[in-house]
Amino acid sequence: MLDSAMKSQLSGIFSGLASQYVFEIEVSPNHESRQELIELLGDVASCSDHLSCRISDGEGLQFTIVKDGAPTGIRFRAVPNGHEFTSLLLAILNSDGKGKNIPDESIRARVSALNGPIKLTTYVSLTCTNCPDVVQALNVMTTLNSQITHETVDGAINQKEVEAMKVQGVPSVFADGKLIHVGRSDFGELLSKLEAQYGINEETVDNSVEKPVKNYDVIVVGGGPAGAASAIYSARKGLSVAVVAERVGGQVKETVGIENLVSVPHTTGEQLANDLRTHINDYPIDILEHRRIVSVSVETDGRLSPSRSTVLTASTGERFSAPAVIVATGASWRKLNVPGEAEYIGRGVAFCPHCDGPFYKGKHVAVVGGGNSGIEAAIDLAGICSKVTVLEFMDELKADQVLQEKLKSLPNVEVFLHSQSLEVIGNGEKVTGLRVKDRKTEAERVIDLDGIFVQIGLAANSGAFRDVVETNKPGEIVIDAHCRTNVPGIYAAGDVSTVPYKQIIIAMGEGAKAALSAFEDRMRGLLS
């Protein structure tokens, strides 16, 4: 199944393994994917003397990873091909303490403090680009806390179970049978949800003294293209720099293909995110990942010519301080913010047609939004669904003409303009319809639907900074031509700011500009 080049690469990856690992395979003799699983794991195991397989008959299809004779708590009820192949490799490397996505000491302590036992199950699609981040994060938590177990379930080969669990979107994470998360996520968000549900063992957490403030010359908040550029340009000036982010790569990781990054004809979001991390690691930059800034304060020393510093408090309770802070937190997909939406996310309300579209095969769905992303989603869904209804708030579609022409050629797509979404309707288990209003006639109606895909653009992640710096009505941080905000020492770059055109290449340039502006202010004595 794996070619010789891949096997050679895996041999190098596994060359440093210290422990012995066994794939404990249990699979029905009649399972249609039996041979595929055995061949895949056999090929992987052949790449290292520290890996082996043990096969036994059972019901269904599954395998667990055993380390030095003891279960790791990691199980796959799937053939981890596609995007989940990396999840398999990282599960082994993380168990051996060699994975690149193992968090820093502060985050590890939070995971270890979780009260257990905790049984986690994640339903995935092997074509989903968001699923691996969730699977890999939960597998890491399993290696850090012996009271956590995690199994990854491929919905395609466990369809009856998916239907019984009423899964309508991936990844769907269940904790001891309770749905706690649907859709893309990162390590920090998942950890926060587990802390909220299970609590922590206070005896293992030292809260006896207030954590000291960590001081830097420049703190970059956000790890996407703008944040990476800011950090690199600042570090090249010889300054002490930290990147505080929920994840390196940011929203870029959700982009499947990138073809407009000048000088790079084609790349993927995942690859670009990895390249950003690699470049950041070329410099002495502290990467403080899986953290969200929850409060911001600007402090002075009280002198006639006061020295300013911005103090940031993270979701971990840690505090960071610097005379220069560059906000590069990007933007997130906007929600409808109507009654019923939050209750039915993952049960009929979705945001990723690529990941969740297959759940609506042969069904009627709506796409809310007539921009490029909305029309692209409608075109993709038209090949899967029996009917697609496009709802646009404005009086005309905003998508490129070539996309509109393609949409018109599809027989199972209908478009309604000047349509305002008012309420997501469901039966307690799943979406059954959407209440909409014609903005011209004021007439309201309910469209019977099986699913709703929200594609209405992005909202700035300005969060904790909105009470400190000036923002506009959509929440973007207002900046001048040099990325300066109205507060000395605080800069903003990329999609979180008022800079026009939200593009990767523009975000990178704005990040560099913000760093250079901060350095210029430092040289002029405006920062200290």
Side-chain angles (χ1 to χ4, degrees):
M1 178 174 290
L2 301 180
D3 60 30
S4 57
M6 176 59 74
K7 287 183 178 180
S8 177
Q9 185 177 355
L10 290 183
S11 295
I13 291 173
F14 293 140
S15 62
L17 289 180
S19 295
Q20 292 292 327
Y21 295 91
V22 178
F23 299 130
E24 288 275 11
I25 305 169
E26 296 182 29
V27 57
S28 168
N30 301 318
H31 199 286
E32 62 181 2
S33 299
R34 175 187 173 95
Q35 196 58 35
E36 182 183 10
L37 177 66
I38 292 174
E39 287 184 9
L40 174 64
L41 296 182
D43 282 356
V44 172
S46 71
C47 297
S48 172
D49 292 337
H50 289 262
L51 301 173
S52 62
C53 297
R54 191 154 46 230
I55 306 169
S56 61
D57 292 341
E59 295 184 4
L61 174 148
Q62 68 176 16
F63 70 94
T64 57
I65 299 176
V66 175
K67 174 183 177 181
D68 293 333
T72 60
I74 298 173
R75 172 183 295 136
F76 288 83
R77 285 197 281 135
V79 181
N81 279 319
H83 295 293
E84 294 302 342
F85 185 64
T86 301
S87 298
L88 170 63
L89 304 184
L90 283 174
I92 300 167
L93 294 173
N94 289 337
S95 295
D96 215 58
K98 297 178 175 62
K100 293 183 179 180
N101 60 335
I102 297 176
D104 58 69
E105 183 179 357
S106 179
I107 301 298
R108 293 200 302 270
R110 288 177 60 193
V111 175
S112 298
L114 282 168
N115 291 322
I118 302 172
K119 180 182 178 182
L120 301 173
T121 303
T122 303
Y123 293 90
V124 304
S125 165
L126 297 184
T127 62
C128 170
T129 56
N130 292 325
C131 292
D133 284 345
V134 171
V135 169
Q136 291 163 23
L138 297 179
N139 279 345
V140 168
M141 293 185 200
T142 301
T143 66
L144 298 175
N145 187 324
S146 61
Q147 296 196 78
I148 300 176
T149 62
H150 178 231
E151 61 178 5
T152 302
V153 183
D154 178 8
I157 60 175
N158 294 276
Q159 292 183 356
K160 291 184 178 179
E161 182 175 339
V162 165
E163 292 171 1
M165 299 298 291
K166 299 180 175 61
V167 173
Q168 288 187 285
V170 289
S172 286
V173 182
F174 289 79
D176 291 299
K178 177 184 177 182
L179 181 65
I180 64 167
H181 180 81
V182 180
R184 64 182 179 86
S185 189
D186 55 63
F187 195 106
E189 180 183 14
L190 293 167
L191 178 55
S192 294
K193 289 187 175 183
L194 291 176
E195 287 176 332
Q197 178 160 336
Y198 292 95
I200 61 173
N201 182 351
E202 297 287 351
E203 294 181 0
T204 67
V205 181
D206 183 11
N207 294 316
S208 57
V209 295
E210 187 177 13
K211 296 180 180 178
V213 177
K214 298 180 182 178
N215 298 302
Y216 296 91
D217 293 325
V218 178
I219 296 174
V220 179
V221 185
S230 294
I232 290 166
Y233 266 69
S234 296
R236 287 176 62 85
K237 297 296 184 181
L239 303 176
S240 62
V241 181
V243 173
V244 182
E246 294 186 29
R247 59 175 177 172
V248 172
Q251 192 188 16
V252 156
K253 296 192 73 170
E254 301 162 33
T255 306
V256 178
I258 300 170
E259 298 178 347
N260 59 354
L261 185 59
V262 179
S263 84
V264 183
H266 178 80
T267 187
T268 65
E270 186 70 27
Q271 183 59 52
L272 180 55
N274 291 337
D275 291 342
L276 292 176
R277 183 186 292 274
T278 298
H279 201 170
I280 292 172
N281 282 331
D282 283 344
Y283 298 90
I285 297 169
D286 286 352
I287 299 178
L288 305 170
E289 213 170 359
H290 315 309
R291 293 162 170 86
R292 177 174 48 85
I293 298 302
V294 294
S295 69
V296 181
S297 64
V298 179
E299 300 181 357
T300 62
D301 61 9
R303 294 180 299 180
L304 290 177
S305 299
S307 174
R308 288 173 174 263
S309 63
T310 299
V311 178
L312 309 175
T313 302
S315 52
T316 56
E318 298 164 291
R319 294 190 299 156
F320 311 100
S321 176
V325 169
I326 300 173
V327 186
T329 44
S332 300
W333 293 114
R334 290 176 58 201
K335 296 180 180 179
L336 294 173
N337 292 320
V338 298
E341 179 185 33
E343 292 86 342
Y344 287 101
I345 290 177
R347 296 188 294 162
V349 174
F351 298 87
C352 179
H354 178 72
C355 299
D356 298 337
F359 288 97
Y360 299 91
K361 182 178 181 180
K363 297 181 179 181
H364 181 191
V365 301
V367 174
V368 181
N372 283 347
S373 61
I375 301 309
E376 288 175 351
I379 293 169
D380 289 344
L381 291 167
I384 302 172
C385 304
S386 61
K387 185 178 180 180
V388 178
T389 299
V390 177
L391 301 169
E392 166 57 41
F393 184 84
M394 304 301 289
D395 294 337
E396 61 180 9
L397 297 178
K398 303 183 292 293
D400 294 342
Q401 193 60 38
V402 64
L403 293 175
Q404 294 190 40
E405 292 301 323
K406 173 63 175 176
L407 191 75
K408 291 177 183 178
S409 72
L410 302 174
N412 60 335
V413 177
E414 61 182 5
V415 178
F416 293 100
L417 302 175
H418 41 80
S419 296
Q420 180 180 357
S421 301
L422 299 179
E423 179 185 8
V424 173
I425 298 172
N427 61 9
E429 294 184 352
K430 62 181 181 179
V431 164
T432 58
L434 179 66
R435 185 183 303 280
V436 299
K437 180 177 73 174
D438 187 307
R439 294 175 52 248
K440 285 190 173 181
T441 67
E442 297 294 317
E444 295 185 12
R445 65 186 177 114
V446 173
I447 304 175
D448 293 333
L449 296 164
D450 299 296
I452 302 165
F453 286 82
V454 182
Q455 301 283 295
I456 55 175
L458 300 170
N461 294 327
S462 48
F465 291 89
R466 292 189 185 184
D467 294 332
V468 179
V469 297
E470 180 185 356
T471 59
N472 62 12
K473 187 175 180 180
E476 297 169 328
I477 296 176
V478 178
I479 58 171
D480 65 12
H482 297 267
C483 296
R484 297 183 178 100
T485 71
N486 65 315
V487 177
I490 300 182
Y491 310 79
D495 289 6
V496 73
S497 76
T498 51
V499 65
Y501 312 119
K502 312 303 187 185
Q503 297 290 312
I504 293 171
I505 194 167
I506 292 174
M508 288 180 171
E510 290 292 299
K513 188 197 297 183
L516 293 173
S517 295
F519 183 72
E520 178 182 314
D521 290 347
R522 183 184 181 90
M523 293 298 97
R524 292 166 56 196
L526 301 179
L527 304 178
S528 59

